[in-house]
Amino acid sequence: MAPKVILTGFMATGKSTVARHLARRLQWRLIDCDADISARAGKPIHQIFRDRGEAHFRSMERSVIAEIATDRRRCAQCGNPRPAVIATGGGAIADPKNYAALRDCGVIVCLSARPDVIAQRISSGVKARPMLSHGSMPVKQRIAELMEKRREAYARATFTIDTSERTVDQVVDAILEALADAYPAISHPPIHVPHNPHRSCK
Ligand code: S3P
């Protein structure tokens, strides 16, 4: 199957932004699970939570991940399998079915950040993070609680990159370095060849 890099990690660790930059650097296709879910529902994620609840969102998330993980379509232009960078929502990997599907389709990379950094990053947009508005619980306490609950799930990633003190480009560099060390077969040639044969596969 074509190489796939899957980004997981807590909210506000930079998954979507890093995935976009990483996909551009590799000239691989970009898939953002939350964007797909949102497009299917025709509304932003926080409105799915508000209108249909978390269970409905999780069921959409499972369907989207199952489809992505089993996608074996080839590029219409070059005929090669399509390599991809996949950003997942922060809670996706905590579901054993999602984890198994993602593990079988690519390399799972976890992005992390210190709780204080996460609190700072989301300070202006808590309303768009339904998992963090939990009754009257202060956001920092909720972050700590949820992080602890998901600690084991995130630890199943092949490697983890701390984004607390890194720029987006530094995170991308760290991922490429780790991929090259851990998976030369995946990272080469796509990472190092200037004219990527999969360029048309986006
Ligand atoms: C969630 C994280 C969100 C989104 C949804 C649930 C979670 O994605 O999938 O609000 O459970 O952690 P980001 O991690 O991209 O914010």
Side-chain angles (χ1 to χ4, degrees):
M1 207 192 287
K4 291 192 170 81
V5 175
I6 298 128
L7 298 188
T8 181
F10 204 79
M11 285 164 269
T13 50
K15 299 178 297 290
S16 294
T17 308
V18 168
R20 214 171 47 245
H21 285 246
L22 182 62
R24 200 179 300 145
R25 283 269 280 276
L26 291 169
Q27 299 182 0
W28 287 6
R29 182 170 169 239
L30 169 68
I31 299 170
D32 188 311
C33 295
D34 277 354
D36 281 6
I37 295 168
S38 186
R40 279 179 199 201
K43 54 181 102 167
I45 302 291
H46 68 276
Q47 281 179 21
I48 304 177
F49 271 77
R50 187 197 61 195
D51 298 347
R52 308 289 304 270
E54 183 182 354
H56 180 76
F57 169 78
R58 295 297 172 202
S59 139
M60 290 190 79
E61 184 173 58
R62 264 193 303 277
S63 310
V64 163
I65 287 179
E67 278 175 34
I68 289 167
T70 51
D71 177 15
R72 287 178 173 73
R73 278 174 298 177
R74 288 173 175 262
C75 169
Q77 278 103 30
C78 70
N80 285 321
R82 300 183 300 177
V85 177
I86 302 166
T88 60
I93 202 172
D95 179 309
K97 270 195 187 157
N98 291 340
Y99 168 66
L102 294 168
R103 176 202 58 202
D104 292 347
C105 88
V107 181
I108 302 179
V109 178
C110 180
L111 300 187
S112 68
R114 294 192 313 270
D116 60 301
V117 173
I118 288 174
Q120 173 64 36
R121 287 179 186 167
I122 56 127
S123 58
S124 60
V126 180
K127 283 205 181 107
R129 312 265 184 193
M131 292 302 292
L132 293 181
S133 14
H134 208 64
S136 58
M137 189 184 282
V139 170
K140 281 187 183 169
Q141 198 181 327
R142 175 64 177 154
I143 291 171
E145 179 189 71
L146 206 50
M147 254 189 188
E148 180 52 30
K149 210 168 150 191
R150 293 178 177 172
R151 199 162 46 83
E152 278 180 26
Y154 293 142
R156 291 186 295 206
T158 307
F159 51 84
T160 298
I161 310 280
D162 190 334
T163 67
S164 304
E165 309 295 338
R166 288 180 162 108
T167 63
V168 172
D169 281 339
Q170 286 169 340
V171 175
V172 169
D173 286 341
I175 294 174
L176 293 177
E177 218 170 280
L179 279 177
D181 283 350
Y183 294 98
I186 283 186
S187 59
H188 186 83
I191 286 174
H192 299 295
V193 168
H195 299 293
N196 187 337
H198 299 303
R199 196 171 36 200
S200 58
C201 307
K202 288 189 186 182

